[in-house]
């Protein structure tokens, strides 16, 4: 069974943290054919975007896509950013935030899509103890 990625939840939490602290949330995005951003602002296959409330309108941070409207050079644009393409979210003022491995995210997404097409659903794996409950491991 595939579980939903934690990435969109982390993005939303860090966005709210930035806003609550009075910081400006920025995202670094890997641009590809599925990303709709102004290409004239893309450098080395990436774009850095201010997604604060003063910079964008109608921000929607869904589980699969981040959508919003923003002005670039005075021209209104609608942005469409797949969550898997978000490489980082951070506060402009102090750089605190989180980076993500976009290549690993895309590989994981491809594996899940392949599993859904090829493998039949099966029972979830059991823990070595024989229990069907998930086991938590403490990481120090």
């Amino acid at each position: 069974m595939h579980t939903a990625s934690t990435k969109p939840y982390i993005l939303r939490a860090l966005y709210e943290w930035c806003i609550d602290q009075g910081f400006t949330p920025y995202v670094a995005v890997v641009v590809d054919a599925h990303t709709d951003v102004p290409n004239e602002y893309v450098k080395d296959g990436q774009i850095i975007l201010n997604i604060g409330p003063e910079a964008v309108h109608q921000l929607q941070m869904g589980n699969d896509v981040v959508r919003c409207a923003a002005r670039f050079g005075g021209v209104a644009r609608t942005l469409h950013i797949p969550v898997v393409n978000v490489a980082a979210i951070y506060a402009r003022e102090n750089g605190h935030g989180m980076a993500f491995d976009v290549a690993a995210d895309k590989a994981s997404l491809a594996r899940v899509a392949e599993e859904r097409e090829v493998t039949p659903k099966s029972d979830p794996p059991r823990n070595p103890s024989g229990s069907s409950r998930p086991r938590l491991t403490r990481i120090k």
Side-chain angles (χ1 to χ4, degrees):
M1 182 176 117
H2 168 69
T3 58
S5 170
T6 58
K7 187 174 182 179
Y9 300 92
I10 293 168
L11 289 173
R12 288 189 291 266
L14 286 171
Y15 174 86
E16 286 185 33
W17 173 81
C18 283
I19 299 304
D20 288 350
Q21 299 303 309
F23 297 144
T24 309
Y26 272 52
V27 289
V29 178
V30 174
V31 178
D32 65 10
H34 304 289
T35 311
D36 188 9
V37 296
N39 288 327
E40 58 271 25
Y41 296 95
V42 174
K43 291 183 180 154
D44 298 325
Q46 275 199 347
I47 189 168
I48 307 296
L49 299 167
N50 174 351
I51 59 168
E54 296 83 24
V56 299
H57 301 284
Q58 301 171 342
L59 178 65
Q60 299 172 348
M61 297 180 79
N63 288 345
D64 298 319
V65 176
V66 175
R67 288 187 178 94
C68 62
R71 291 192 171 276
F72 293 85
V75 178
R77 299 284 302 263
T78 300
L79 309 180
H80 175 95
I81 303 160
V83 168
V84 296
N85 287 44
V86 177
I89 182 168
Y90 60 94
R92 180 191 70 192
E93 292 78 4
N94 62 13
H96 290 198
M98 185 173 281
F100 304 95
D101 185 349
V102 172
D105 289 345
K106 288 187 175 202
S108 176
L109 190 62
R111 272 194 312 277
V112 168
E114 185 177 297
E115 287 173 3
R116 286 184 179 167
E117 291 177 7
V118 177
T119 38
K121 289 187 178 182
S122 61
D123 292 333
R126 296 182 81 74
N127 290 331
S129 65
S131 167
S132 62
R133 291 181 35 208
R135 228 177 80 190
L136 297 176
T137 304
R138 180 176 291 189
I139 299 172
K140 294 182 180 183

